[in-house]
Structures are given as C-alpha cells and as structure tokens.
C-alpha cells in the first residue's frame, strides 16, 4: 500500500533562514507525490507535485521539493523562510486509484 | 479563481440529529473526495466519487454516514444519527481524472454536543 511519513511534528526556523520539511514515501511503481499547505481555518492548498522529470520541483510561494528515489524522500524546501510561511504542511502520495494518501502533517513555525 | 464551495462552514448540533454537508465541486471536475480531519487521526479519506459514481467509501462508518452525488454540481455527506465523536472538520476536494492536483474546499467544522 502507498504511504508517506512525515517524521517531524513541528519544525522551527528563524525568518530568513532556509527551511526543510521532511517526507519519505513507500509506493509500488512510480510515485506521484504532492505537497499541500493548510493555513488556520482553511482548506489545503496545493504547493507542488512530482510526477516525472526533473528531481527538483518548483512550486508556489518560492517552495521547492527534491525527489530522491534512492532515499525514497520528497523533502520540501525554501531558501529563505518568511513568518507568513508558518502553517501546517502535508505530504501526500497518489495511489493507483487516484486517491491522495496524506502524511500526518508538520507544523512549521517561522520566528521573526 | 475556480473554487470548491462547502456549506455550511460551521455546524453545531446535538447528538442524535441528522447533519448534511454540501459541496459544489469545480466545474468540469469529475472526481470528488470527502476527507475528515481531526487532531488525533489527521486526514482520513471517507469517500471518493468518479463521474458521480461512488468508487470507494471504505473509510466511512456505513451505519451512520452516507455520501451521494445527486448531480455533477453537488456532493453531499450525511450523518444520521450524529455522535460527539463525529466532531471534526470535513473537507471536500475535487479534481480531474488522472490530472492532479486535487482542489480543496475550506471545510465544514462540525461540533456534536
């Protein structure tokens, strides 16, 4: 069965510093991987996806993610964090029936 | 910007009452998903429709929950009777078959007292 794991419940980073939110996956076949962000009292917003092609995927709001097949990882990154990036981040994998299976989420706190 | 619309945004009800949540998917989308979010369980998939046909509702408690798509512009999730453990935020998401990503509504926050 397809699954993703987000090993960190919370990540703290100072504004202006680079940030990484970790995700590892377990799939049979080629992985379709996604990152979503959730702000308070809102639905999930799509950030970026990996389907095929370049291992470095660029997305919304300056975020990017690196697909690493050998490490089965898809970590979310941003070179310089903003306070407004503080939110809940979800990694997800699409199974072969189009369902999205989400990780448990990582809360990102960016401090001024 | 096209959006998935969910109503109501908030619902407070007493145990035993029927609850109906509605979702208007984005025009042209043919897949609809219902997710439930709680602190303890995270995001759980409850039901999944493609072209209005239910494909998977294995995540849904069958004795009290039901999901339908009366037409392409409306999906409903009903709970009858509701229980306090049903308190959660319920999200609807829509998409196009084989063409990610999914687009989420802002959810219905349900509180059952």
């Amino acid at each position: 069965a397809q699954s993703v794991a987000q090993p960190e419940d919370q990540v703290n980073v100072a504004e202006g510093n680079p940030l990484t939110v970790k995700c590892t996956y377990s799939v049979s076949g080629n992985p379709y991987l996604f990152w979503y962000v959730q702000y308070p009292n809102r639905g999930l917003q799509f950030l970026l996806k990996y389907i095929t092609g370049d291992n470095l995927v660029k997305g919304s709001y300056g975020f990017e993610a690196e697909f690493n097949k050998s490490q089965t990882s898809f970590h979310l990154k941003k070179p310089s964090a903003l306070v407004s990036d503080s939110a809940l981040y979800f990694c997800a994998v699409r199974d072969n029936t189009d369902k999205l299976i989400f990780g448990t989420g990582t809360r990102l706190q960016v401090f001024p | 910007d096209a959006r998935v619309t969910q109503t109501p945004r908030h619902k407070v009800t007493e145990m035993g009452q029927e609850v109906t949540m509605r979702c208007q998917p984005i025009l042209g989308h043919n897949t609809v998903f219902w997710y439930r979010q709680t602190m303890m369980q995270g995001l759980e998939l409850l039901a999944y429709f493609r072209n209005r046909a239910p494909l998977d509702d294995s995540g849904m408690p069958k004795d009290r929950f039901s999901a339908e798509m009366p037409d392409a512009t409306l999906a409903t999730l009903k709970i009858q009777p509701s229980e306090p453990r049903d308190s959660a935020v319920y999200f609807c998401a829509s998409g196009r078959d084989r063409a990610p990503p999914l687009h989420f509504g802002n959810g219905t926050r349900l509180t059952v007292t």
Side-chain angles (χ1 to χ4, degrees):
Chain A
Q2 325 282 53
S3 66
V4 291
Q6 294 181 245
E8 303 154 316
D9 288 339
Q10 180 153 329
V11 170
N12 299 318
V13 64
E15 188 174 33
N17 283 1
L19 69 87
T20 298
V21 182
K22 295 179 181 177
C23 173
T24 58
Y25 65 88
S26 174
V27 302
S28 53
N30 295 322
Y32 286 12
L33 297 161
F34 304 81
W35 276 102
Y36 282 79
V37 60
Q38 186 180 28
Y39 298 100
N41 300 314
R42 301 295 298 275
L44 279 69
Q45 295 178 34
F46 169 73
L47 278 180
L48 51 81
K49 67 179 186 282
Y50 173 82
I51 305 297
T52 187
D54 287 343
N55 290 342
L56 187 63
V57 179
K58 293 191 183 296
S60 306
Y61 312 122
F63 283 93
E64 57 191 27
E66 186 171 8
F67 172 70
N68 188 316
K69 188 172 183 178
S70 62
Q71 297 185 4
T72 62
S73 67
F74 189 56
H75 300 333
L76 181 70
K77 301 183 179 186
K78 188 173 182 181
S80 179
L82 300 173
V83 173
S84 57
D85 293 329
S86 299
L88 189 56
Y89 290 81
F90 289 94
C91 181
V93 62
R94 196 182 82 178
D95 73 6
N96 56 7
T97 64
D98 278 342
K99 292 182 292 188
L100 274 185
I101 310 300
F102 287 92
T104 51
T106 298
R107 187 165 299 281
L108 173 67
Q109 287 278 10
V110 182
F111 295 96
Chain B
D1 256 353
R3 296 184 181 192
V4 175
T5 303
Q6 288 187 249
T7 55
R9 286 297 312 275
H10 302 274
K11 176 71 176 180
V12 180
T13 192
E14 292 183 348
M15 183 173 64
Q17 297 298 305
E18 177 178 299
V19 174
T20 299
M21 291 169 271
R22 293 177 173 81
C23 168
Q24 181 176 1
I26 293 173
L27 189 64
H29 283 185
N30 69 328
T31 61
V32 172
F33 298 78
W34 284 102
Y35 285 88
R36 176 170 62 184
Q37 185 178 32
T38 61
M39 289 292 292
M40 295 300 295
Q41 300 296 329
L43 277 163
E44 303 172 274
L45 177 66
L46 297 177
Y48 163 34
F49 291 79
R50 179 188 290 155
N51 298 325
R52 295 177 53 204
L55 289 192
D56 186 347
D57 60 2
S58 58
M60 206 163 63
K62 303 287 190 307
D63 56 337
R64 298 184 299 109
F65 284 60
S66 62
E68 295 179 346
M69 279 202 74
D71 61 59
T73 64
L74 177 64
T76 62
L77 180 66
K78 290 186 181 181
I79 308 174
Q80 169 63 17
S82 58
E83 297 181 0
R85 59 180 167 152
D86 301 329
S87 297
V89 182
Y90 291 80
F91 288 105
C92 174
S94 73
R96 287 198 192 91
D97 202 10
R98 302 289 171 192
L102 288 184
H103 297 263
F104 281 76
N106 284 328
T108 294
R109 182 176 296 275
L110 174 65
T111 303
V112 183
T113 60

